[in-house]
Amino acid sequence: MTPTRAFLCAAAACLLFVLPLHAQALRPGQWKGHMYSPARQLVDVTLTVQTARDALEATLTTALGEFTLSGVEDGSNGFSFVWNPGFEMECRLLEDDAGRYQGACKDYRGRIGPVLLAPPGRAVTPDDFDLDAAFAVWGARPEPEPEAPPPAPPPAPPVGAPVDLGGRTLSMYEAGSGPVTVVFESDVGDLLEGWAEVLRALAPDVRVVAYDRAGLGASDPAGTRGARTPDAIAEDLHAMLEQAGLAPPFVLVGHGAGGLYVRRFAERYPGTVAGLVLVDPIHEAEAQRLRALDAGSYAAYRQGQEALHRLAPPAVQREHEGVRAVLDAGTFGGEARPAVPLVVLTARRTVEAPRWVGETAQGQEVRRALHAALAEAWPRGAHRVVDAPGSYLHQVAPEAVIEAVRQVLETAAATPARNY
């Protein structure tokens, strides 16, 4: 009964999708059912469809929250939609002979998660799953359970320990040892556990540190109000490293907005930094460049992002406000660039049906060009493009990030000693 390949993603909020009233399979009411999680556990799901303003509005809800739907298409015997909790998953369901709706969601890695829904007024149980039918909507078949003993459980995620900053704590994970400490900064709202695979690969050779910023994970909220600026985050990171007794030199690795944070750290504390790796980083000029390509598309994208972040936890909202201020300004201040090695990684992916200007070939070229210019402006910068299904390279292409970190470490080690 349990499929080998299954998938579920969580998101912070859901936007409504409006569907014309000519829908046939997707009718108003609450559709109840189940799907399988990555841990092979059943999860209850509810698809709520209601009539409003001569249209249908649909949301998908689980115990983890509500999810964004788009691209809804209905027919006489089934329906499909795109589930977009940070990256795209396409879902297809067909009506079976018993009036149930069987199908599956497929993520960008090709993993398939069976879904079973009953229309309003009907009910389904887990025993009603037909896995062959669920996988068949994608032209696939469930893989048989292996005859060999079950594989060992996945490694436990990294767990931080509190570091006291004087009245509040930050949750910091530390592993490995060595003269250089590699410090990881996540994108807006992301937790330290997202770096798990990279941390495990590097820890045998070097000391690694990852942490949850103020108000995220097990870390206490910041004592001040307002936007969490790159300056405030750099100050927190510096204080945490000092309180944890971690002496420089540091190699800083930042993903997304984390790229802004480590750049600001390098500017404010240049004597502590031995190198940087920027993983598909946000660039301060990208909003202006994308707006120049297609102002309407970019405005619609920003509107959706703002709606999503208004429903996010307070700490995420504050980080978003800080990044938004940088993007709106289009500059990052008087940035100093220490003469240390830097590698910028750009994620390149092919999007068959771009939903906004940033996903078009022209939009992706803007991001690549800005990354290349950033590396060129650095005294010892290098730029590398990585083919990947998304921007979270440390998760979808961790070997590229690991290689870049090792390259920076080797270059720094070959450099005449600095007084840290």
Side-chain angles (χ1 to χ4, degrees):
M1 178 64 64
T2 302
T4 297
R5 284 181 275 171
F7 189 74
L8 179 67
C9 278
C14 181
L15 303 177
L16 295 177
F17 181 84
V18 179
L19 184 69
L21 272 178
H22 68 263
Q24 301 176 56
L26 190 61
R27 54 183 183 270
Q30 285 199 330
W31 296 60
K32 299 283 189 177
H34 315 277
M35 75 173 297
Y36 278 100
S37 76
R40 301 185 178 185
Q41 295 177 338
L42 280 175
V43 178
D44 294 334
V45 296
T46 300
L47 179 68
T48 302
V49 182
Q50 57 186 357
T51 303
R53 302 184 303 277
D54 296 328
L56 294 179
E57 294 179 340
T59 61
L60 186 66
T61 307
T62 76
L64 300 175
E66 293 182 335
F67 293 82
T68 301
L69 301 183
S70 63
V72 180
E73 295 184 4
D74 67 302
S76 59
N77 68 334
F79 55 91
S80 63
F81 56 87
V82 173
W83 197 359
N84 190 23
F87 49 84
E88 184 173 298
M89 292 195 298
E90 188 175 352
C91 305
R92 301 175 183 174
L93 290 90
L94 296 175
E95 185 179 13
D96 63 17
D97 294 338
R100 303 175 294 246
Y101 283 75
Q102 301 260 8
C105 295
K106 184 177 182 181
D107 76 347
Y108 64 90
R109 293 183 179 179
R111 297 177 296 187
I112 295 174
V115 182
L116 172 66
L117 286 173
R122 301 201 56 169
V124 291
T125 71
D127 291 335
D128 295 322
F129 263 109
D130 181 343
L131 297 184
D132 287 331
F135 277 78
V137 300
W138 290 103
R141 293 183 60 82
E143 295 180 0
E145 293 293 337
E147 297 181 2
V159 177
V163 176
D164 188 358
L165 298 192
R168 63 186 177 96
T169 64
L170 294 181
S171 178
M172 187 191 83
Y173 171 83
E174 177 187 357
S177 62
V180 179
T181 300
V182 182
V183 182
F184 295 84
E185 272 284 7
S186 304
D187 198 3
V188 169
D190 289 344
L191 304 181
L192 67 87
E193 62 190 46
W195 297 98
E197 192 164 351
V198 176
L199 295 172
R200 284 195 293 269
L202 292 172
D205 306 314
V206 66
R207 177 180 286 110
V208 293
V209 166
Y211 76 111
D212 292 330
R213 291 188 294 273
L216 303 178
S219 293
D220 293 332
T224 57
R225 296 186 178 183
R228 289 288 289 166
T229 65
D231 284 276
I233 290 170
E235 289 174 6
D236 261 12
L237 175 57
H238 185 258
M240 183 192 73
L241 294 172
E242 280 196 334
Q243 290 300 314
L246 296 171
F250 305 119
V251 167
L252 306 176
V253 184
H255 166 240
L260 295 174
Y261 305 151
V262 299
R263 286 168 60 193
R264 184 63 86 218
F265 187 101
E267 175 187 351
R268 296 190 59 165
Y269 313 103
T272 69
V273 177
L276 296 93
V277 176
L278 307 182
V279 182
D280 210 43
I282 289 176
H283 191 282
E284 58 271 23
E286 66 184 60
Q288 294 181 356
R289 299 286 182 87
L290 293 174
R291 192 181 292 115
L293 277 181
D294 190 330
S297 174
Y298 185 79
Y301 166 77
R302 279 290 292 268
Q303 184 178 12
Q305 291 294 302
E306 297 297 332
L308 184 66
H309 283 100
R310 282 195 296 271
L311 298 174
V316 179
Q317 293 186 40
R318 296 181 64 188
E319 288 190 355
H320 172 69
E321 290 171 8
V323 173
R324 180 179 58 194
V326 173
L327 292 175
D328 289 345
T331 62
F332 200 43
E335 183 183 5
R337 299 179 176 89
V340 297
L342 168 140
V343 174
V344 183
L345 300 178
T346 301
R348 176 175 56 196
R349 63 191 181 104
T350 301
V351 182
E352 295 182 359
R355 290 161 295 177
W356 70 290
V357 62
E359 292 184 340
T360 65
Q362 296 90 337
Q364 293 194 59
E365 174 57 23
V366 163
R367 197 171 180 86
R368 186 209 64 77
L370 288 172
H371 289 175
L374 177 60
E376 185 177 354
W378 204 268
R380 300 170 64 190
H383 177 233
R384 191 174 304 151
V385 178
V386 181
D387 290 321
S391 64
Y392 277 65
L393 292 177
H394 50 302
Q395 296 175 15
V396 300
E399 64 284 350
V401 178
I402 295 165
E403 180 183 354
V405 172
R406 293 194 186 281
Q407 175 186 336
V408 168
L409 287 168
E410 291 173 2
T411 304
T415 303
R418 302 172 67 204
N419 294 321
Y420 292 105

